[in-house]
Amino acid sequence: MTEAQSISAWRERALRRLLSVRRAGRVTDEAEILSELRDVHVALGERRVGTVEEQRAYLLARSTDTPLPELLAVGIDTNDWPVPPHSSPARPDSVPTSPGTEQRITNLFESAGPLGDPQPRGPRYETRYRPQDRQRYKQVPLDWAIWDTETNIAIAYHQDKELAEYQADNASARYAEQRGAT
């Protein structure tokens, strides 16, 4: 039996022989058939025989401690057999990445900093230009929002950018003082 040849038909014949040998009470023949079944399934787990689908099904059954139903039906628990050396499906070959992609990924990790390092918090309130919110007071557009960065919502709108920035800075400073994070 070779790789890519299905073992299903062979296994079915072996299981029929096993049942007939058991009915006849031939213990030595039964042990021989069981040994043959075990050896073929060990080879299946090592990906030396069977189709890719059969190999995956067997390895999945082994990794989840689930006996193969066709073998369990005749009283054979595959969990008693040797564990396949590689219990997980083969990984696909890696695809080489371009130097540009590697550099972008490296830059992202460098900008993120070491794990567990707390990132410095920015101000609680900031100014954002938000004409899409269509806020008005006496028909005058209020395009500048004071934005709460923790709740991610606008809390006030102003016509003048400088006034909005002044109020956002003051509110952030007061908030930081109150929290003790000056």
Side-chain angles (χ1 to χ4, degrees):
M1 196 171 315
T2 61
E3 187 177 350
Q5 270 188 327
S6 176
I7 67 161
S8 297
W10 175 86
R11 179 173 40 213
E12 193 175 311
R13 286 190 305 273
L15 291 176
R16 277 193 302 240
R17 277 188 329 188
L18 178 67
L19 291 174
S20 70
V21 164
R22 281 182 177 170
R23 278 191 294 264
R26 297 190 323 234
V27 178
T28 55
D29 290 341
E30 179 182 352
E32 187 179 307
I33 294 170
L34 287 172
S35 175
E36 200 176 315
L37 278 165
R38 188 191 70 241
D39 292 344
V40 168
H41 282 83
V42 166
L44 182 67
E46 293 172 349
R47 299 179 182 275
R48 291 186 287 137
V49 297
T51 64
V52 172
E53 291 80 21
E54 289 171 330
Q55 293 168 357
R56 285 186 185 144
Y58 180 69
L59 289 171
L60 179 63
R62 287 308 307 264
S63 67
T64 59
D65 293 329
T66 308
L68 292 176
E70 55 271 19
L71 295 174
L72 191 59
V74 295
I76 301 172
D77 185 358
T78 54
N79 291 323
D80 296 334
W81 291 346
V83 177
H86 305 290
S87 304
S88 60
R91 295 182 184 195
D93 294 334
S94 64
V95 177
T97 56
S98 70
T101 302
E102 287 181 16
Q103 187 59 47
R104 284 194 298 274
I105 292 170
T106 302
N107 290 343
L108 284 172
F109 278 109
E110 287 173 355
S111 68
L115 289 176
D117 238 7
Q119 295 293 322
R121 293 179 69 177
R124 168 80 188 253
Y125 303 102
E126 63 185 23
T127 305
R128 293 190 183 176
Y129 183 66
R130 307 238 344 141
Q132 68 269 26
D133 293 347
R134 296 188 178 149
Q135 294 293 313
R136 295 185 171 281
Y137 178 72
K138 294 186 180 181
Q139 302 305 317
V140 176
L142 305 174
D143 294 335
W144 294 97
I146 296 177
W147 196 263
D148 185 339
T149 58
E150 286 189 15
T151 60
N152 208 27
I153 59 171
I155 58 169
Y157 290 90
H158 291 281
Q159 176 184 5
D160 183 46
K161 178 183 178 183
E162 286 182 30
L163 178 59
E165 287 175 345
Y166 172 77
Q167 289 187 342
D169 290 344
N170 279 341
S172 290
R174 283 192 203 157
Y175 182 79
E177 285 173 14
Q178 201 171 28
R179 292 285 183 195
T182 310

